[in-house]
Amino acid sequence: MDRTIGVLGGGQLGRMLQEAANRLNVNLITLDNGPDTPSKQINARSSHVNGSFTDPKAIRNLAEKCDILTIEIEHVDTDVLEDLSTGTETRDDWRLIRSTKVEVQPSWRTIRVIQDKYDQKEHLIKHGIPTPRSVPLSNHSIGDMKHLGEDIGYPFMLKSRTGAYDGRGNYAVKNISYIQAALDTLRDRPLYAEAWAPFELELAVMVVKVEDDAAADWQQATMAFPVAETIHEESICKLVYAPARNVSASTQREAQVLARRAVAGFWGKGVFGVEMFLLSNGELLINEIAPRPHNSGHYTIEACLLSQYDVHLRALLGLPIPEESLQFINRDTYSIMLNILGGAQSDSHLQVAQQALSIVGASIHLYGKGEARPGRKMGHITILASSMHEAQTRLESLINLVDQTQAAREQGLSDRIQASANSHKPALSEATLAASPIVAVTMGSDSDRTVLSPGIGLLRELKIPFSVTITSAHRTPERMFQFAKVSASQGIRVIIAAAGGAAHLPGMVAANTWLPVIGVPVKGSSLDGMDSLLSIVQMPKGCPVATVSINNSVNAAQLAARILATSDVTVRKRLEEHLANQTASVLKKAERMSEEGFDAYDLDQ
Amino acid sequence: MDRTIGVLGGGQLGRMLQEAANRLNVNLITLDNGPDTPSKQINARSSHVNGSFTDPKAIRNLAEKCDILTIEIEHVDTDVLEDLSTGTETRDDWRLIRSTKVEVQPSWRTIRVIQDKYDQKEHLIKHGIPTPRSVPLSNHSIGDMKHLGEDIGYPFMLKSRTGAYDGRGNYAVKNISYIQAALDTLRDRPLYAEAWAPFELELAVMVVKVEDDAAADWQQATMAFPVAETIHEESICKLVYAPARNVSASTQREAQVLARRAVAGFWGKGVFGVEMFLLSNGELLINEIAPRPHNSGHYTIEACLLSQYDVHLRALLGLPIPEESLQFINRDTYSIMLNILGGAQSDSHLQVAQQALSIVGASIHLYGKGEARPGRKMGHITILASSMHEAQTRLESLINLVDQTQAAREQGLSDRIQASANSHKPALSEATLAASPIVAVTMGSDSDRTVLSPGIGLLRELKIPFSVTITSAHRTPERMFQFAKVSASQGIRVIIAAAGGAAHLPGMVAANTWLPVIGVPVKGSSLDGMDSLLSIVQMPKGCPVATVSINNSVNAAQLAARILATSDVTVRKRLEEHLANQTASVLKKAERMSEEGFDAYDLDQ
């Protein structure tokens, strides 16, 4: 831990890296303009370098003091990084400069390729990584653009190859009539066109690379954090949900593998932020890659056992990173990260922070930036909870405030073309805020619906998110197997299965999952339900079904609530309230019977 | 958040307070000797004060720059704090000094009372807070000590009233023959004797006080973090378990109430560390109180939604503190904090940190202290896990290393009387490491034992901690009610109840708890178990029992595991392995039958 790391850039990413370094007593030295940048503020031990991370002299200055150089922003001078990492001799005016040889992580080659978004896309395609088709623009003429539109299809994105940040430098060309405005806006930059990705969701995976070579075995060379879902507004990240909502475990695994394969193709060590699109057909496409800690990984500070900053440091220094420590703290960890952006007033962002002080489970990070320009990232808030539903509930008041701040900001920004140019993102709708089901209800036949109805009512009353479907053990055996096998990985925690007669459904479901399965015997036309009861309850050793009384779906629902309550405080509170009401209701009846007398007592009242 | 806070002391507690302040962009200024104390290292924005926190001039210097003063160590000059908080005029040599008026939190009165341990004890007794009986020593003579021994009884503790820290200044007087050595060791200090508390465990509760007045309503004025269990060695805190192990929920609640009542009696705002003894008769006695963040509260950084440092800052600044945020992150949060002490070599502590890098769930905090003197607190490690058992497993390798370091240190210290003087603490035994039960198994009659035995076997195989008892619904109704009512608060998450005949036990237990109850129908002498089955399964609406097949305790145990697995990854892994083995075992039998043929197949093999 005694090697000194130089960081190009001293913004919020550098600051959070510095926090991690402070806890390990690792020496960081920051290069950025001014003595008081976010990361310099919290490290009084080092003599930092004052200057730009694009200025070769300043970078050489930093290198003199360090063993390893890394970046917190990719728009740096990579020529000098190349010199420094090889120790090349160069000439500055008339003087001969022999560069100190220092390790650059990730490699300057990686930073250089990623800096140019078109080169980045080409690199990915060369490595067999799916990404939207891209075509460079050689000539910024309307004619060229029209050809391009015919080739790549409308709508498409016109993007600046370099220097783009937080959506600045992107323009959505919806049809031929947008070409002139797109060119007017981005005329001075090197450009390329990118095919439109009709995505359902944007996902992001933080990956850490621990080996120097590119194209090494991705399984050896990389590890991935959980898959997060990102919500952008005006091309600026607004919210990050981790874990991603309503994304199956298999898609999440695919996303992690894709992100790791993509990162494995680059050179050098450290964390990478991988942003991707999930299309409606389930396909994943890489959007872009950042060779550094990333906004979509802030949630790891509170929600994971190690943060993206911890593992970046460890990767640079060659220290151990237990793969399990990249996971969530535990099974019940759900997080939402909300960026705090500068608003219309200079203190708009502080109002958001102020309000967050009153929210249970909210961790507040202010970056110590001076001036709060509209849209500038001033801080973020991470909300932790035991379920995504709880996290969303806690977030609600903040979201309202942020949306008001946002509206005020947009008012002020209406004359700025750039910010609103890219509307390439879905709106945050009520639907996407709906919680994922944690109870799956299934029945052998639609005739069991009436029996299940009161139980469904109780799940609703207790606000337990559930799914409901039909899976007949005998008529759709494959479907039933599939249902049982994928439930756990989809976030389901309890299954309720109702069936009658030779009622095999609950037992067969239990045979195909480790989840607790509750069986509801449905009374059929003969034997008064005894056939269903015995078919469900008399399971052989090794495959239990939690059986409730005949036709009693309410008890099945309440039992599911009891099970969830063992690890979900919100459900437990609602359950306890429900049980208390149940008691109160019988006591009231007893009181009424004592008042009215046994004979006058009216059952229907 | 724009008021400046001055902190007397710049050690590790100040450093962790500074971390919290950095995230909220709150201005802290530190007073301590040297420009590079742990807390100054991570705040480059403020012009800190160089000097001692016992030097009135330095304290006045600090006060000039601040709106609020607070402490991270209580051995400060309280006279000057008194002046500063009232704005009194004083004379220094010949000059008249008019003190700036600044807020001092907690109040100088609180710090002054707590500084003198005997005064602290008297204060507690005056406020009706139970604490070991204490007697001041007016005369440091052997005669006085003998009188005292007769009065207070042997063994007793001879303690320095002031300046004591990490056990320095304590001497255990086991019998009359220890008196001379005790006086020799502590001769130069003001002393008092404290009655021996025959404790089972040491507990600690961090409390935050948010009102200025003393003796205010403790429920209004204070909030408490969870109850932690502290393990001391040589009077230095070694380990903190949070939550405390094997302490009932009611005792934990009592400890929190006692801690809050004790803190409510002091003046001013901020966090307080309350250390207490739990005696074998269940009684709680306050040991001592620290008017500042405390070693026993480090675990809150990772394990709780807000840390002790977060709430200290918020209390000082009058910012909101949601009471729920003082709780663990979620129900599955278990933590162990291990102090990293300086060892025999100057880098012994770094070996511990180095090894912790490989431990899943370990967060490492190094304090940036220069020289690692033996026994000096150089850092700490907090291990998070989903169960205390898992946390203990993760900790094991570290504990071994620490114990080796410790042994090497003691070797070097054997000539230092002070450190080993107080052996007033129980050893860390295997027994105290046992996990608390999470499944409670009960039966209506001891004749059900045979039926339950295979289920108990499976719980053992899956390493699920359980308790087992007899509670007859009809013969011990009160006991059964009590069992059901307290289970949840004792950390039980699932109940298994077995009964036969008119089998009321499972249903009656379910009627008295919100926990999921699994019923095992036991086959009696008549009706082939149908009586038991129907008595258990046919519960009325509103009170479910998860019924398994007749006599099938294995299924009950496996169902309990499935329920626990919904929120405990360790249990889930073991369950999945068990299910896979079960499948493999049947497949093996099928293979054998295909090889040996149906007739030759030997069932017993």
Side-chain angles (χ1 to χ4, degrees), chain B residues 490-513:
Chain B
Q490 286 176 340
I492 298 295
R493 298 212 216 161
V494 185
I495 294 174
I496 296 176
H504 299 178
L505 176 66
M508 289 309 298
V509 168
N512 284 286
T513 180

Side-chain angles (χ1 to χ4, degrees), chain A residues 205-414:
Chain A
V205 182
M206 293 305 309
V207 171
V208 60
K209 186 159 177 285
V210 294
E211 288 186 5
D212 260 315
D213 293 341
D217 175 0
W218 64 266
Q219 289 183 290
Q220 283 296 320
T222 65
M223 291 179 264
F225 279 96
V227 179
E229 174 190 351
T230 57
I231 309 283
H232 290 78
E233 265 183 23
E234 296 175 11
S235 296
I236 300 181
C237 177
K238 176 179 182 180
L239 288 163
V240 174
Y241 291 83
R245 300 163 304 163
N246 304 315
V247 175
S248 74
S250 63
T251 302
Q252 294 197 33
R253 267 194 304 275
E254 274 172 46
Q256 286 178 312
V257 169
L258 180 58
R260 291 173 65 182
R261 283 180 44 225
V263 168
F266 289 101
W267 305 267
K269 296 187 274 197
V271 293
F272 290 73
V274 183
E275 293 183 283
M276 55 183 89
F277 299 127
L278 173 61
L279 309 189
S280 47
N281 62 3
E283 205 183 329
L284 290 162
L285 295 181
I286 299 277
N287 175 15
E288 61 183 71
I289 295 182
R292 52 165 170 81
H294 190 257
N295 199 165
S296 67
H298 291 349
Y299 79 89
T300 58
I301 297 176
E302 282 84 14
C304 296
L305 292 169
L306 289 178
S307 76
Q308 61 169 340
Y309 305 99
D310 292 326
V311 304
H312 186 59
L313 280 184
R314 292 188 184 196
L316 298 188
L317 296 168
L319 298 175
I321 304 174
E323 190 159 9
E324 273 187 75
S325 285
L326 271 60
Q327 294 178 5
F328 288 112
I329 287 177
N330 58 38
R331 161 98 198 203
D332 283 332
T333 309
Y334 293 83
S335 68
I336 308 176
M337 192 285 313
L338 170 73
N339 274 329
I340 305 178
L341 304 179
Q345 275 80 48
S346 65
D347 67 341
S348 306
H349 64 290
L350 291 180
Q351 290 170 27
V352 177
Q354 187 78 35
Q355 182 148 338
L357 290 167
S358 301
I359 293 179
V360 175
S363 295
I364 303 166
H365 298 252
L366 294 176
Y367 302 148
K369 294 186 179 176
E371 192 202 350
R373 292 191 302 275
R376 190 179 192 198
K377 288 175 181 167
M378 303 303 292
H380 78 266
I381 290 160
T382 299
I383 292 182
L384 280 195
S386 300
S387 66
M388 197 50 97
H389 180 70
E390 198 175 27
Q392 286 166 336
T393 311
R394 290 175 177 178
L395 181 70
E396 251 164 39
S397 67
L398 266 190
I399 281 283
N400 294 340
L401 182 62
V402 165
D403 286 345
Q404 286 162 24
T405 312
Q406 167 83 354
R409 186 169 70 232
E410 272 167 14
Q411 199 71 22
L413 277 184
S414 56

Side-chain angles (χ1 to χ4, degrees), chain B residues 513-524:
Chain B
T513 180
W514 59 263
L515 288 172
V517 177
I518 300 172
V520 185
V522 174
K523 196 197 289 198

Side-chain angles (χ1 to χ4, degrees), chain A residues 580-592:
Chain A
N581 288 342
Q582 199 171 271
T583 305
S585 133
V586 176
L587 291 178
K588 214 166 136 193
K589 285 179 186 170
E591 201 178 320
R592 192 156 63 78

Side-chain angles (χ1 to χ4, degrees), chain A residues 243-246 331-334 385-393 434-442 456 458-460 462-468 483-484 486-497 513-518 556-572 574-575, chain B residues 562-563 565-567:
Chain A
R245 300 163 304 163
N246 304 315
R331 161 98 198 203
D332 283 332
T333 309
Y334 293 83
S386 300
S387 66
M388 197 50 97
H389 180 70
E390 198 175 27
Q392 286 166 336
T393 311
S436 313
I438 51 178
V439 172
V441 182
T442 188
I456 298 282
L458 180 55
L459 290 176
R460 286 201 177 110
L462 296 174
K463 293 185 182 145
I464 295 171
F466 65 93
S467 65
V468 59
F483 166 82
V486 303
S487 285
S489 69
Q490 285 177 340
I492 297 295
R493 298 214 216 158
V494 186
I495 294 174
I496 295 175
T513 181
W514 60 262
L515 289 173
V517 177
I518 300 171
Q558 202 204 88
L559 181 57
R562 286 177 184 234
I563 290 171
L564 295 168
T566 62
S567 59
D568 187 325
V569 179
T570 314
V571 173
R572 195 178 78 214
R574 290 204 200 103
L575 172 65
Chain B
R562 286 177 183 234
I563 291 170
T566 61
S567 60

Side-chain angles (χ1 to χ4, degrees), chain B residues 207-224 256-257 260-261 263-266 268-270 315 319 321-323 326:
Chain B
V207 172
V208 59
K209 185 158 179 284
V210 294
E211 288 187 3
D212 259 314
D213 292 340
D217 175 1
W218 64 266
Q219 290 184 288
Q220 283 296 318
T222 66
M223 291 180 265
Q256 287 178 311
V257 169
R260 291 173 67 183
R261 282 180 44 225
V263 168
F266 290 101
K269 295 186 276 197
L319 298 174
I321 304 174
E323 189 158 9
L326 271 58

Side-chain angles (χ1 to χ4, degrees), chain A residues 1 15 19 21-25 36 40-45 301-302 305-306 314 319-325 327 329-333 350 353-354 356-369 378 384-386 390 394 454 493-494 509-511 513-517 521 530 533-534 537-550 552 554-556 558-559 561-563 565-569 572-573 575-576 578-579 582, chain B residues 1 15 19 21-25 36 40-45 301-302 305-306 314 319-325 327 329-333 350 353-354 356-369 378 384-386 390 394 454 493-494 509-511 513-517 521 530 533-534 537-550 552 554-556 558-559 561-563 565-569 572-573 575-576 578-579 582:
Chain A
M1 308 183 197
R15 182 182 175 102
E19 284 185 342
N22 284 342
R23 288 193 172 176
L24 282 188
N25 296 174
D36 193 36
K40 290 179 183 177
Q41 290 172 21
I42 63 166
N43 176 359
R45 295 199 96 176
I301 297 176
E302 282 84 14
L305 292 169
L306 289 178
R314 292 188 184 196
L319 298 175
I321 304 174
E323 190 159 9
E324 273 187 75
S325 285
Q327 294 178 5
I329 287 177
N330 58 38
R331 161 98 198 203
D332 283 332
T333 309
L350 291 180
Q354 187 78 35
L357 290 167
S358 301
I359 293 179
V360 175
S363 295
I364 303 166
H365 298 252
L366 294 176
Y367 302 148
K369 294 186 179 176
M378 303 303 292
L384 280 195
S386 300
E390 198 175 27
R394 290 175 177 178
R493 298 214 216 158
V494 186
V509 168
T513 181
W514 60 262
L515 289 173
V517 177
M530 187 61 94
L533 172 60
L534 297 181
V537 75
Q538 283 295 94
M539 290 293 292
K541 206 170 77 176
C543 191
V545 169
T547 311
V548 296
S549 45
I550 296 167
N552 201 333
V554 166
N555 273 11
Q558 202 204 88
L559 181 57
R562 286 177 184 234
I563 290 171
T566 62
S567 59
D568 187 325
V569 179
R572 195 178 78 214
K573 280 186 186 157
L575 172 65
E576 285 179 315
H578 172 77
L579 293 176
Q582 199 171 271
Chain B
M1 309 184 198
R15 183 181 175 103
E19 284 186 341
N22 284 342
R23 288 191 172 176
L24 281 189
N25 296 174
D36 193 37
K40 290 180 182 175
Q41 289 171 20
I42 63 167
N43 177 359
R45 295 199 95 177
I301 296 176
E302 282 84 14
L305 293 169
L306 289 178
R314 291 187 184 196
L319 298 174
I321 304 174
E323 189 158 9
E324 274 186 75
S325 286
Q327 294 179 6
I329 286 175
N330 58 39
R331 162 96 198 204
D332 284 331
T333 308
L350 291 179
Q354 188 76 36
L357 290 166
S358 301
I359 294 179
V360 175
S363 295
I364 303 167
H365 297 253
L366 294 176
Y367 302 147
K369 293 185 178 176
M378 303 302 292
L384 280 194
S386 300
E390 198 175 28
R394 290 174 176 178
R493 298 212 216 161
V494 185
V509 168
T513 180
W514 59 263
L515 288 172
V517 177
M530 186 61 94
L533 172 60
L534 297 182
V537 75
Q538 284 293 95
M539 289 293 292
K541 206 169 78 177
C543 190
V545 168
T547 310
V548 295
S549 45
I550 295 167
N552 202 331
V554 167
N555 273 11
Q558 201 202 89
L559 182 57
R562 286 177 183 234
I563 291 170
T566 61
S567 60
D568 187 326
V569 180
R572 194 178 79 214
K573 280 185 186 158
L575 172 65
E576 285 179 315
H578 172 78
L579 293 175
Q582 199 170 270

